[in-house]
Amino acid sequence: MKKYVVVTGGVLSGVGKGIFSASLARLLKECGVRVNVLKIDPYLNVDAGTMNPNQHGEVFVTDDGYEADLDLGHYERFLGEDMSRKNNITAGQIYSAVVKKEREGGYLGSTVQIVPHVTGEIKKRIESLEGEINVIEIGGTVGDIESEVFLESVRELALEKAADDFLFIHVTYVPYLKASNEFKTKPTQQSVQLLRRSGINPDMIVIRSENPVNGDSLKKVALFGGVPIDMVINLPDVPNVYSVVEILKNYDVHRKVARRLRINLDESNFKWDYPKTFKTYKIALVAKYLGTDDAYKSIIESVFLSGCTKPSIVDAQVLEEMSWEQVCETLSEYDALIIPGGFGKRGIEGKIRAIHFAREYKKPILGICLGMQLMVIEFARNVLGYKNANSTEFDSNTPYPVITLMEEQKKVLQLGGTMRLGSQSMRILKDTKLWQIYGGVEQTSERHRHRYEVNYDEYPELFKMPNESGNKLVISAQSNFIEAIELEEHPYFIGIQYHPELKTKVGNPHPLFKALVDSIRN
Ligand code: GLN
């Protein structure tokens, strides 16, 4: 038995299809259903790795080294399961597979067309999903030229299968006009019409809104959308997105889906625990991708799921323009700092100043990937006096290249999917804070996404092993590379070459974030 729930979006992108799909999947999972999820991204990039986080949000890296859309992060956190490259398809992957097959003679004699060849490739990928219920989220908004081929594919597939194998849910937005004190359903009505033009009738309409929408407006949506009123669900904004699972349950969405798909649910073991109370510590995320909070989604959610209010973003470039006194004054307001990953030169001097402040004033600080590399640079410059020490990523002529391109990266010519990616194993060294934080685990693996590494061979004098003496950075985890560093005599000064934020799940935040929050004493 394989059933499919297709989630499409209307009116606007970014209204929360990802959260809805993840919450629905978790709700069904809690009712004993084996669920799987698939995000379809209609863009032509083969994966999200080459996109700017300012526009598209963070790149979420899976264990198998796939650079995915951030929705896979929602799926992992909500479902408590690791995703892989099988959980995401992009138009780029589909078209390149079709063109490759054509060159190999795979369609010999045929004119290769969108229908049936491209749709055929999409349907094949969808059919390979192995859940009892497969939740398929189609990215973008109906009416987008890129998504039409995907809508066509699910329409065809639904026709080929039994009537109770498919369910279509359309997630839209109903705006509120303050001037006339009314909710406006016209954009939703029109987006349902667009969906119908692609041959798809929604079975359920989910209305996102800022505030609860009144009953009359919901009736209007039901009427014009051609669905029974009990299949119109209103989801107003909530302060805690993890409550959506519960809200959907209260609306009986799981039973409505199950009835339509003719499957049985077992609700006897339903359990959904998520943090509801939060410490109100102020954590600064010293960052540079300011276009959208989505650029640091997994870090923000990791702090939140550790039971602390969400971090605020501090513009790294603003710190560059301040006097040192202003930097100290600004950052003193915060209880802890996080220096996230990133690429390119912009903002790095501001981040280095934040690290300098945290080191001197013993403010808890977590440096992630680029953040750890900058911790090494800061230490070389300000403790060892290596003037202009840098990473060759930002200054190819630095007199002290303490961070350099990994040897294996020197041969790399293409930029898509070629970094050191995904799960890599490492050894945590005993008698370090890291070792304590991991609960005494010595061998583990974490997810990576980088090209540069600590240049230990040329600058061993910056580092020491645990229990050695001297004012140096303690190496706290190793593989072929230095994976983590820390400082003694500091409440929390930890840098890691990997991305712990990618492993946080609801009810199981990565211990590095939990420990950061715990290190704050007011
Ligand atoms: N730009 C750095 C590198 O490539 C750091 C990458 C990151 O922070 N993800 O190594």
Side-chain angles (χ1 to χ4, degrees):
M1 182 190 72
K2 268 200 213 176
K3 309 269 179 178
Y4 303 88
V5 174
V6 178
V7 180
T8 54
V11 183
L12 301 173
S13 63
V15 291
K17 283 194 304 291
I19 299 287
F20 171 79
S21 304
S23 301
L24 176 64
R26 181 65 197 235
L27 174 57
L28 293 167
K29 180 182 171 180
E30 283 307 307
C31 297
V33 179
R34 195 162 40 76
V35 284
N36 203 350
V37 276
L38 175 69
K39 173 76 194 292
I40 295 182
D41 284 307
Y43 45 72
L44 284 173
N45 305 58
V46 169
D47 59 40
T50 52
M51 283 192 271
N52 189 330
N54 262 332
Q55 266 176 35
H56 197 76
E58 78 176 1
V59 175
F60 188 86
V61 183
T62 54
D63 269 345
D64 65 339
Y66 178 69
E67 297 177 283
D69 185 87
L70 59 82
D71 276 315
L72 260 66
H74 295 315
Y75 299 165
E76 285 210 359
R77 287 188 289 273
F78 275 85
L79 280 171
E81 287 170 26
D82 291 337
M83 297 288 125
S84 75
R85 60 186 69 239
K86 288 193 182 140
N87 298 97
N88 185 210
I89 59 179
T90 69
Q93 288 165 19
I94 299 293
Y95 287 114
S96 30
V98 170
V99 170
K100 181 164 176 277
K101 191 165 164 194
E102 186 277 332
R103 289 290 82 187
E104 288 165 358
Y107 306 107
L108 218 52
S110 324
T111 307
V112 181
Q113 294 179 297
I114 299 284
V115 181
H117 301 101
V118 175
T119 49
E121 186 65 32
I122 297 170
K123 287 193 280 184
K124 192 174 85 191
R125 296 281 298 267
I126 292 176
E127 286 190 276
S128 72
L129 292 170
E130 277 160 1
E132 265 173 294
I133 295 188
N134 300 293
V135 177
I136 301 167
E137 177 193 347
I138 302 188
T141 311
V142 293
D144 292 348
I145 194 161
E146 294 93 344
S147 52
E148 251 158 56
V149 63
F150 293 102
L151 294 175
E152 169 62 15
S153 305
V154 287
R155 183 194 71 82
E156 288 178 18
L157 206 54
L159 268 183
E160 291 162 21
K161 306 274 175 193
D164 56 10
D165 282 352
F166 263 79
L167 175 90
F168 289 94
I169 303 181
H170 192 49
V171 181
T172 76
Y173 188 71
V174 167
Y176 169 71
L177 282 194
K178 210 166 155 193
S180 56
N181 183 26
E182 53 181 348
F183 289 99
K184 289 296 194 185
T185 62
K186 184 76 75 191
T188 291
Q189 294 171 34
Q190 289 180 340
S191 84
V192 174
Q193 281 168 12
L194 275 175
L195 190 62
R196 288 222 193 96
R197 223 176 280 171
S198 306
I200 295 172
N201 282 310
D203 298 289
M204 180 184 281
I205 299 176
V206 172
I207 295 178
R208 289 274 300 108
S209 57
E210 226 174 287
N211 291 304
V213 173
N214 60 39
D216 284 347
S217 301
L218 299 181
K219 274 189 203 144
K220 218 181 208 174
V221 171
L223 183 67
F224 286 98
V227 301
I229 183 72
D230 71 324
M231 291 299 240
V232 177
I233 311 288
N234 181 207
L235 292 181
D237 289 351
V238 283
N240 184 341
V241 292
Y242 301 101
S243 65
V244 174
V245 178
E246 238 164 41
I247 297 171
L248 294 182
K249 184 165 187 271
N250 293 340
Y251 276 122
D252 264 348
V253 170
H254 53 316
R255 295 193 191 140
K256 290 171 185 173
V257 167
R259 202 182 317 131
R260 177 71 171 69
L261 296 177
R262 291 177 199 273
I263 55 155
N264 294 322
L265 300 179
D266 173 7
E267 294 178 43
S268 58
N269 292 321
F270 181 92
K271 203 168 152 247
W272 177 239
D273 286 334
Y274 59 95
K276 297 180 185 84
T277 53
F278 299 89
K279 297 203 170 99
T280 51
Y281 296 147
K282 283 181 76 181
I283 299 184
L285 187 54
V286 184
K288 75 158 181 180
Y289 303 118
L290 310 174
T292 154
D293 280 5
D294 281 354
Y296 301 103
K297 195 75 194 159
S298 293
I299 295 179
I300 293 174
E301 296 306 317
S302 291
V303 171
F304 192 68
L305 288 169
S306 300
C308 180
T309 44
K310 293 189 177 177
S312 346
I313 292 190
V314 170
D315 184 348
Q317 279 180 290
V318 170
L319 297 179
E320 291 174 1
E321 288 146 22
M322 290 178 170
S323 67
W324 178 241
E325 289 68 32
Q326 285 171 320
V327 169
C328 296
E329 202 182 311
T330 305
L331 295 178
S332 303
E333 304 245 317
Y334 294 93
D335 300 308
L337 310 182
I338 297 176
I339 314 292
F343 296 82
K345 201 175 162 128
R346 188 169 63 83
I348 65 144
E349 291 303 327
K351 292 177 179 174
I352 290 174
R353 294 184 98 184
I355 294 165
H356 187 179
F357 166 81
R359 185 175 54 74
E360 284 204 346
Y361 292 94
K362 302 211 186 303
K363 193 65 89 179
I365 183 168
L366 175 63
I368 298 174
C369 202
L370 172 74
M372 166 204 169
Q373 297 174 356
L374 299 181
M375 283 172 156
V376 174
I377 294 170
E378 193 278 330
F379 197 83
R381 285 186 191 174
N382 299 329
V383 178
L384 277 85
Y386 292 179
K387 201 158 170 262
N388 296 327
N390 217 328
S391 162
T392 53
E393 182 181 1
F394 316 122
D395 178 4
S396 50
N397 296 319
T398 168
Y400 302 101
V402 293
I403 307 291
T404 44
L405 194 62
M406 280 180 257
E407 206 46 45
E408 63 194 51
Q409 286 290 328
K410 294 186 180 151
K411 301 178 257 201
V412 169
L413 297 175
Q414 285 193 356
L415 288 186
T418 54
M419 284 187 238
R420 179 174 182 242
L421 286 168
S423 186
Q424 309 281 345
S425 63
M426 62 175 198
R427 194 164 59 87
I428 301 179
L429 305 189
K430 266 195 185 144
D431 299 328
T432 60
K433 285 190 192 119
L434 197 72
W435 192 74
Q436 274 170 17
I437 290 171
Y438 277 74
V441 170
E442 272 176 66
Q443 200 69 38
T444 187
S445 56
E446 290 283 359
R447 291 187 201 169
H448 292 68
R449 182 175 189 249
H450 64 125
R451 288 187 205 282
Y452 290 80
E453 60 159 321
V454 173
N455 185 3
Y456 179 79
D457 289 349
E458 282 184 69
Y459 297 97
E461 68 274 23
L462 267 63
F463 305 95
K464 63 177 182 180
M465 296 311 265
N467 299 323
E468 277 177 12
S469 61
N471 182 17
K472 294 177 175 190
L473 293 166
V474 178
I475 297 172
S476 47
Q478 277 179 315
S479 59
N480 288 339
F481 307 100
I482 292 188
E483 297 283 1
I485 49 125
E486 60 186 50
L487 270 184
E488 291 158 341
E489 283 152 43
H490 191 292
Y492 189 113
F493 186 101
I494 295 180
I496 64 254
Q497 186 57 78
Y498 48 88
H499 291 271
E501 71 275 19
L502 303 176
K503 293 252 229 171
T504 286
K505 312 275 192 289
V506 173
N508 191 15
H510 193 288
L512 275 165
F513 291 95
K514 191 103 192 58
L516 180 69
V517 173
D518 290 345
S519 74
I520 300 170
R521 295 195 213 297
N522 272 353

